Each structure stands twice: as C-alpha cells, then as structure tokens.
Amino acid sequence: MKHRYIFVVGGVMSGVGKGVTTASIGKILQSRGLHVTAIKIDPYVNVDAGTMNPVEHGEVFVTDDGDETDQDMGNYERFLEADLTSTNYMTTGRVYQTVIEKERNLEYKGKCVEVVPHIPLEVIRRIKNAAQMAKADVTMVEVGGTVGEYQNILFLEAARMMHLDDPENVLFVLVSYLPVPKHLGEMKTKPTQYATRTLNSAGIHPDFIVCRGEQFMDKPRREKLSVFCNVKPEAVITAPDVPSIYDIPALFESQDLSSTILKKFKMKPRSTDLRTWKAMADVQRTAKRTVKIGVVGKYFATGDYTLSDSYISVIEALKAAAWSHKVKIQLDWINSEDFETHPKSISRLKEYDGILVPGGFGTRGIEGIIAAIKYCREKKVPYFGLCYGMQLACVEFARHVLGKTTAHTVEVDEATVDPIIHVSPIQLKNIRENRYGGTMRLGAFDCKLQPGTLTAKAYRASVISERHRHRYEFNNDYAEAIEKKGLMITGVNPGSGLVEIVELKNHPFFVGVQFHPEFKSRPLNPHPLFKAFIGAALK
Ligand code: GLN
C-alpha cells in the first residue's frame, strides 16, 4: 500500500496551534474517506513527557499502551477518533536511546555511528513504522519547535531525506504567524517570509503556508506571500482565531484545503462529509442553557502555560459531555488553597451545578480539596473525582464518616495511622531508588463493574478499559468499612483486585475513579461518565 506523509512545521513562534492544525488537516482528509494517522515529534531530550512539569509543558497525555506523551496526541485522538500508541510519539531522547542501544548490540556491524545519517534514519524508521502499523493512507507528522532552532534540525533532516526519496508522496505545511502590530494596524507578512527562507535553508520548501493570526488575511497579503514565498495562492491558508478549535476543519475546507492536498498528491477527487463534525461544533452557538461546573485544584500558572494546558483533556471531555446534552458549559477554576485560608469561602461552591477534582500530585492545596469534597458529599452536589480526586474522596470519607480523623494518602503523610491510600511494595521501591521515568501504573487496565450501579448504568457494560497514571492505590484493608457506611466499591481490576471506582449511595452523583476517563472522551463520542456527571449537574 502507498503511504503518504504530511510534515507540519512551525515558523515565527511557538504556541500558534501546530497541533490543532495537524489534527484538523488530518480530519478533513479523513472526512474524504482516507485512513489517517498522526505522529508527534517532541524535540526534548526527555525520553517521554512523563518527567516534564505539566505547568511548563502542558498535560501529559497517556496512550492505551501506557506511553506518557505530549498533549497534542490528545488532539489527534479527539479529532481523528483514533487510539494512538507509543509508535506515534517520539522525542530526541527516545531516538538517541534506540540508536545507542543498537550500537551496544553491534547492530551497526562495526561502522562509525554518526549523528548524520544515523539519527535521521532512526527517525525515518519510526515514521514509516507508524504509517505501516496504522495502515494509513496519509500520516500527519508534527515536528515540534520552530524552524531555525537547533533542537529540531535532525527531524527536519529526516523529513528532507524522505522527500528526496519520494517527492510525490511527501508534503510540507508551514504554520506561521502574522502579527498585527497595534501602532500599524495592519497584518505583517515579513516574519513568515523569513520563516519560509529559514525552512528553505534546511532544504525544505513548504507546499502550504497556514497563516495564523488574530484576523482573516486579505487578498493582497495572500498574493504577496504567494510570490515572496514561492507558493501558489490557493496554498496560502488563512487561519484566524476562532471561538472553538473544532471550527478549524470547516475553516480549512472553506478554502478547499483537502482537495488541494489531494491534487498535490495526484490523488483522485473524493467526496467529503463533515456534517456530524460541524453539528457538534455548532452546539456552543445554538444551545440556550448553560451548565456551570467548578474545577477545584491547586492553582498554578507560569509564563505561557496555565491550568487550561495542564488539564486540556478534562476540559475537552467536559465540553463534549455538555454538548451531547445540547447545553453550553461554563468552567471555573477554583483555587483549593482559598478554602484553607478562608474556610467560609467554601459556600461559593453553591454557585455550581457540579464539582470536579482532576488528577494531581503533591501536597499543596490538598486540605482545601478535601473541604470541597466534604461540601459536595454533604450538600448532595454532583461530584466527579479523577485519580487524585478519587483518592481524596476516600480520605475525606475515612476522616468524616468513618471517624478516622487523621486518615490520609501516604503520598502526603507517609506515617499516617490510617493510610486509606497507600503504596505497593513495587512502587515504594521505585520511589526509594529514584526510578521515576515511566514507572507509574500506566496505560489501559480492565475494570469489572458491579451491575446495577450508577457507573454500570452509565457505561452500559460489565467490563470496561480505562487509562491510568498514578503511583498510589486504595488500601483494601478499608474496603469493608467504607462500604458499610455507603461508599461503595463499584469497579475493581479483575487481576489485581485494585479498586478502580467508588460511588456514594443516596447521592445524585458522587463518583471517584482511579483512572483518567478524560483521555478516552471524544467530541463525537463523549465519555459515558462525563455524560452522566453533566446529566446529574443539569438536574
Ligand atoms: N498523586 C496520585 C498518585 O500518584 C494521583 C495521580 C493522578 O491524579 N494522576 O497516585
């Protein structure tokens, strides 16, 4: 089978939406009946994203096979409705690691192993392998970083070599930025011209330029970029800021992008169908009612990154669930530390239809989160706890219902007399030996649901599979005690007996899950538990 590749590279600056552009181009090609997969190349030396601070790098997205990857992988999964694997993700560290391992195993048969060509060749091997594994007609490859940096040169070199080898089946998209300086009030094309030249100096010529900016680009600028950057006018695409990322595929199609791509690949024209996608993206414009959800956690923001990058999958899962109920969603971030300094401020939670506590690590803001959970349990406010949000719901229950006032997770209090959340001997060893990279409980695990429960009804299944990323676990010594008092264990991993779901009796919706359901939610196929949570919030 013939595999085609589209490399997406960034110019001018980072943070302009290469990931969403990559996912959206994938989507419009998919809507023409092509089989599409996507690869993210992260130039970092980290072997995976698991050791990167989400506040700086964004969410760590987890695949079914337990890889800790970049948040863009989540965009690909959501837009392409696909389950990707570690094959679809690489970093500089990972590529070098393989080459060094091969060298140690004498696989280069005595040759000198050099940065060029051996590193780009390993990159190419990985790209082609991903295309083959997915049986993809088209493979989108996003090269992280910006052209002109040292960091991604070897990846651009790999792309150049692939194009040299098979020019008809490799295309390049440059995602650039067109600023509108306030004192001038007009859109400037020069930075994009320079970015194109920088890309040219790496031996690559863009087939398309996607022009990000606050506004639509006008005709004179399109023509100017076409002439100065040596790209046909129809291949210069305007991509202004839009209310929702889900509007971008339609925006691209309004400029015939997918048919121009097919022409470039010398493929026959094919009909397109983006109707269901557009209908999903339209709900936020047409819906009349709004559901108000509070997300409680420790607050962090540094530089360009804030909570919204760290929890992108949670946000998208909530939106998708709300839209499936044909309502808009208002999301507020609530700093749990406020409840520690001003305990009375907890009453502000009554403004919300539902409260969610997402995953997290460490000790900061924990008592505030526990106070919020107590409020939800007592006042019967719909509560959804993800991972840490489940663990802390168990801590709250142990303290205030079982009367074990100092109960805790050993992550926060190693010496607690009531370690309701504890750590397995294997994980303890990892911690003691500082083995942190890729050693959490990661990826998809089965979970057996107890029939008749709220969760089993939401899933309409008896066994489910969900993705994990955590080190600590519910301590089964407390299982009987919590169930007696009404916190039911409604989901268990069949092999290990590990508790995966707890659910409170006689409450409209109080569910804690040890896994991360947000990773499997898709805009066109929202997650059943998020749907049930929003459903309860609407009531
Ligand atoms: N910190 C907790 C653990 O490691 C929860 C992790 C999470 O929420 N992803 O078990």
Side-chain angles (χ1 to χ4, degrees):
M1 108 176 255
K2 200 178 219 171
H3 298 294
R4 294 173 170 90
Y5 301 89
I6 301 179
F7 286 89
V8 179
V9 301
V12 179
M13 63 185 202
S14 64
V16 291
K18 267 199 319 288
V20 172
T21 301
T22 306
S24 297
I25 296 176
K27 185 80 218 169
I28 57 178
L29 294 172
Q30 196 182 53
S31 76
R32 290 197 180 258
L34 293 169
H35 196 74
V36 180
T37 191
I39 297 172
K40 168 79 187 200
I41 296 179
D42 237 345
Y44 299 105
V45 180
N46 303 61
V47 173
D48 58 43
T51 53
M52 297 187 215
N53 181 350
V55 183
E56 279 166 37
H57 184 255
E59 169 186 273
V60 179
F61 186 82
V62 180
T63 56
D64 267 339
D65 63 344
D67 199 6
E68 298 174 279
T69 72
D70 184 82
Q71 62 179 35
D72 281 325
M73 291 280 284
N75 282 323
Y76 307 161
E77 286 208 353
R78 286 186 286 272
F79 276 68
L80 300 177
E81 296 162 75
D83 289 326
L84 303 179
T85 66
S86 61
T87 321
N88 298 73
Y89 180 65
M90 73 181 96
T91 64
T92 298
R94 189 171 289 192
V95 171
Y96 270 86
Q97 199 178 41
T98 313
V99 171
I100 291 168
E101 270 166 24
K102 281 188 189 167
E103 183 274 331
R104 293 288 80 186
N105 299 340
L106 220 57
E107 282 176 54
Y108 293 103
K109 300 192 170 46
K111 271 205 185 127
C112 297
V113 183
E114 299 185 81
V115 170
V116 179
H118 293 105
I119 299 297
L121 284 175
E122 170 59 19
V123 174
I124 294 170
R125 186 197 64 78
R126 284 171 173 267
I127 292 171
K128 290 190 171 171
N129 181 40
Q132 270 158 19
M133 299 274 282
K135 298 190 176 63
D137 299 308
V138 180
T139 300
M140 305 295 306
V141 188
E142 179 188 348
V143 182
T146 313
V147 293
E149 298 176 340
Y150 281 116
Q151 305 219 52
N152 54 20
I153 277 179
L154 293 170
F155 297 112
L156 294 180
E157 185 61 5
R160 185 192 64 79
M161 286 160 73
M162 281 183 70
H163 181 261
L164 178 70
D165 187 45
D166 190 7
E168 297 212 333
N169 294 313
V170 176
L171 294 179
F172 294 98
V173 177
L174 173 66
V175 183
S176 192
Y177 189 73
L178 281 79
V180 183
K182 270 216 176 69
H183 65 291
L184 297 176
E186 67 167 293
M187 199 172 226
K188 303 305 283 180
T189 61
K190 192 76 85 204
T192 301
Q193 296 176 37
Y194 281 126
T196 307
R197 254 171 249 165
T198 311
L199 189 59
N200 288 160
S201 67
I204 293 173
H205 190 70
D207 296 279
F208 295 89
I209 303 180
V210 172
C211 300
R212 290 279 297 112
E214 279 173 37
Q215 310 162 4
F216 274 95
M217 184 176 49
D218 57 7
K219 200 159 164 254
R221 276 167 191 81
R222 180 174 288 207
E223 282 164 1
K224 192 171 178 181
L225 277 179
S226 161
V227 173
F228 286 25
C229 300
N230 198 22
V231 177
K232 283 255 162 63
E234 65 269 24
V236 180
I237 305 294
T238 176
D241 293 343
V242 282
S244 159
I245 55 171
Y246 301 115
D247 291 331
I248 296 172
L251 174 80
F252 284 170
E253 281 308 62
S254 70
Q255 300 170 69
D256 290 328
L257 179 55
S258 67
S259 59
T260 316
I261 292 175
L262 293 188
K263 266 187 226 149
K264 284 239 178 200
F265 274 142
K266 300 201 170 61
M267 292 170 97
K268 281 196 209 99
R270 300 158 144 263
S271 62
T272 177
D273 187 359
L274 258 184
R275 277 170 302 181
T276 11
W277 186 265
K278 279 189 188 156
M280 172 274 295
D282 273 341
V283 177
Q284 48 164 357
R285 279 181 280 271
T286 53
K288 299 211 165 49
R289 210 175 143 189
T290 302
V291 65
K292 232 179 134 181
I293 301 297
V295 181
V296 178
K298 65 179 171 191
Y299 184 77
F300 39 72
T302 60
D304 294 342
Y305 291 95
T306 57
L307 284 160
S308 49
D309 282 295
S310 312
Y311 289 115
I312 178 166
S313 292
V314 176
I315 298 171
E316 298 309 320
L318 283 167
K319 281 192 209 164
W323 297 343
S324 76
H325 285 281
K326 301 278 178 265
V327 298
K328 282 187 263 207
I329 185 160
Q330 181 190 326
L331 272 180
D332 285 349
W333 298 98
I334 301 165
N335 183 358
S336 60
E337 283 166 291
D338 290 350
F339 303 142
E340 296 172 3
T341 40
H342 307 287
K344 281 200 182 125
S345 67
I346 197 84
S347 63
R348 73 170 277 212
L349 293 184
K350 68 169 176 286
E351 287 168 36
Y352 297 95
D353 303 313
I355 296 294
L356 180 144
V357 171
F361 296 85
T363 55
R364 190 156 65 82
I366 292 308
E367 291 304 321
I369 293 178
I370 292 172
I373 296 172
K374 181 170 186 274
Y375 182 94
C376 293
R377 182 178 54 77
E378 290 176 347
K379 306 272 189 228
K380 299 212 187 294
V381 177
Y383 173 76
F384 195 15
L386 314 179
C387 206
Y388 216 5
M390 171 269 196
Q391 297 175 353
L392 295 173
C394 297
V395 171
E396 190 282 318
F397 196 82
R399 286 188 189 176
H400 305 123
V401 181
L402 302 187
K404 301 192 179 297
T405 50
T406 58
H408 223 319
T409 161
V410 299
E411 179 173 358
V412 181
D413 180 2
E414 239 181 290
T416 174
V417 277
D418 283 302
I420 184 150
I421 303 298
H422 69 165
V423 65
S424 67
I426 303 168
Q427 287 299 350
L428 196 61
K429 198 163 178 271
N430 285 333
I431 298 169
R432 297 233 160 106
E433 292 171 6
N434 289 336
R435 279 193 289 135
Y436 289 111
T439 58
M440 282 191 241
R441 184 169 178 236
L442 288 169
F445 289 90
D446 280 352
C447 168
K448 199 167 178 299
L449 303 178
Q450 197 175 303
T453 56
L454 205 150
T455 28
K457 279 183 202 149
Y459 276 106
R460 292 199 210 142
S462 53
V463 179
I464 52 144
S465 168
E466 292 282 2
R467 299 182 193 170
H468 292 246
R469 182 173 187 256
H470 57 103
R471 235 177 258 289
Y472 299 86
E473 306 283 353
F474 178 81
N475 181 348
N476 271 321
D477 291 349
Y478 293 84
E480 217 187 294
I482 63 163
E483 287 212 319
K484 246 192 205 147
K485 293 280 187 184
L487 186 61
M488 309 310 291
I489 293 167
T490 57
V492 173
N493 175 254
S496 62
L498 291 173
V499 171
E500 310 283 37
I501 307 175
V502 295
E503 173 182 324
L504 195 63
K505 263 191 190 163
N506 306 320
H507 189 289
F509 189 99
F510 189 102
V511 175
V513 293
Q514 182 56 83
F515 44 82
H516 289 273
E518 68 270 25
F519 293 142
K520 288 187 65 167
S521 174
R522 307 282 158 75
L524 292 182
N525 188 15
H527 193 282
L529 285 182
F530 277 89
K531 259 166 84 175
F533 170 57
I534 297 291
L538 285 168
K539 278 185 198 149

